[in-house]
Amino acid sequence: MIQLINVNKKFANGHVALNNVSLNIENGEFVFLVGTSGAGKSTIIKLLMKELELDSGKIIVDDKDITKIKRSHIPHLRRSMGVVFQDFRLLQDKTVYENVAFAMDVVEAASKDIRRQVPMMLGMVGLSKKSKQYPHQLSGGEQQRVSIARAMVNSPSILVADEPTGNLDPEMSVEIMKLFSEINQRGTTVIMATHDLHIVDKMKKRVVEINEGNIIRDERRGGYFSENQNR
Ligand code: ADP
């Protein structure tokens, strides 16, 4: 379970990114974070990953207050959370296989586990035949699938995605969302920040809407816009 309790975050320039935000996410949920650009979605994701520190409040992940954990425990936290970005962030000089294996290397996984797990993940995302290719030889959708394999290879309990379909055409986006659904159905909590109203409307998952650092809507099976909002 993930809990944000009265989280405040102001940037050095005085800009308030999150204003007393509280949010509970149960294990196994699928949650969309929506809202206009600058609403505070990425700030929530960065706080979860401990890429940013909050000013006040608490963030509890699996019973631990991650705002209090020691620096030496950050790698452990990041292992329990896979992350996918809009711009894929693959290593260009490594093959597909090596990109995924690298995520296991950095957590010092045993070679035999890497040799077993990486092909399994590439199979899950449908890229077994492309394991020796380099990122620039792949389509955007394929690159995003590599990054999903990389995010999931250490079996995290949470998958966090920041605009994962932002650089993809609609067909590729549908494929990516199928993968996220499968991952969620196998029990992983999925938190996805997005602007993609078609995806949100189609998936009918929980929608948390943020505006100027405040949660203004939390719907169990919501659409991109609230029902009483004019389109
Ligand atoms: P979103 O992901 O919803 O587009 P963000 O969480 O990235 O929004 O940003 C929330 C607000 O905080 C925005 O107004 C943004 O300009 C501001 N912001 C984000 N990062 C910084 C930073 N490093 N310094 C100052 N302001 C920032």
Side-chain angles (χ1 to χ4, degrees):
M1 161 129 147
I2 300 169
Q3 284 177 291
L4 277 70
I5 305 169
N6 302 123
V7 171
N8 286 288
K9 175 68 190 171
K10 194 192 266 189
F11 286 105
N13 61 2
H15 191 97
V16 176
L18 295 177
N19 179 26
N20 217 31
V21 164
S22 295
L23 176 66
N24 281 0
I25 299 173
E26 301 288 340
N27 291 342
E29 271 199 278
F30 195 124
V31 183
F32 285 116
L33 300 179
V34 306
T36 52
S37 184
K41 306 181 295 294
S42 300
T43 302
I44 292 182
I45 286 174
K46 285 178 185 156
L47 288 170
L48 282 172
M49 305 298 301
K50 268 186 95 67
E51 280 178 30
L52 282 177
E53 295 295 330
L54 45 60
D55 300 328
S56 64
K58 283 185 185 176
I59 300 181
I60 319 268
V61 177
D62 294 336
D63 297 325
K64 275 191 215 72
D65 184 349
I66 65 161
T67 59
K68 296 224 174 73
I69 62 175
K70 293 196 197 107
R71 185 172 289 266
S72 60
H73 286 145
I74 293 178
H76 181 263
L77 171 76
R78 296 205 177 133
R79 222 172 302 157
S80 71
M81 246 183 264
V83 61
V84 173
F85 301 97
Q86 176 169 1
D87 56 0
F88 323 134
R89 302 200 192 172
L90 299 175
L91 299 166
Q92 296 300 317
D93 60 346
K94 291 190 187 292
T95 64
V96 165
Y97 183 98
E98 288 163 351
N99 265 281
V100 179
F102 187 68
M104 292 188 79
D105 274 340
V106 296
V107 300
E108 295 173 358
S111 329
K112 75 169 183 0
D113 293 336
I114 298 179
R115 284 197 299 270
R116 190 193 55 222
Q117 193 70 3
V118 175
M120 204 169 86
M121 296 315 292
L122 290 176
M124 179 193 81
V125 300
L127 286 178
S128 299
K129 290 196 177 127
K130 307 251 167 163
S131 66
K132 294 197 175 79
Q133 309 261 27
Y134 287 86
H136 73 267
Q137 298 173 304
L138 306 178
S139 72
E142 288 170 338
Q143 291 187 56
Q144 195 57 301
R145 274 148 56 194
V146 178
S147 95
I148 293 169
R150 177 183 59 187
M152 293 306 297
V153 76
N154 292 316
S155 309
S157 55
I158 303 163
L159 177 63
V160 180
D162 198 352
E163 299 280 358
T165 60
N167 286 356
L168 304 180
D169 65 35
E171 274 165 40
M172 285 177 177
S173 301
V174 167
E175 294 303 313
I176 295 300
M177 292 318 296
K178 276 190 195 151
L179 268 176
F180 279 14
S181 286
E182 273 175 40
I183 288 166
N184 178 244
Q185 274 157 21
R186 289 184 206 167
T188 307
T189 308
V190 177
I191 303 172
M192 171 169 160
T194 187
H195 277 117
D196 196 327
L197 69 100
H198 297 294
I199 284 177
V200 176
D201 284 349
K202 202 163 157 214
M203 300 273 295
K204 299 191 174 61
K205 299 289 187 187
R206 180 174 172 194
V207 175
V208 173
E209 182 174 352
I210 303 161
N211 186 37
E212 295 186 0
N214 296 289
I215 292 181
I216 57 166
R217 176 166 61 109
D218 187 350
E219 265 186 286
R220 188 184 271 281
R221 284 165 64 84
Y224 191 86
F225 295 104
S226 77
E227 284 190 349
N228 49 17
Q229 206 168 345
N230 289 328
R231 299 202 175 195

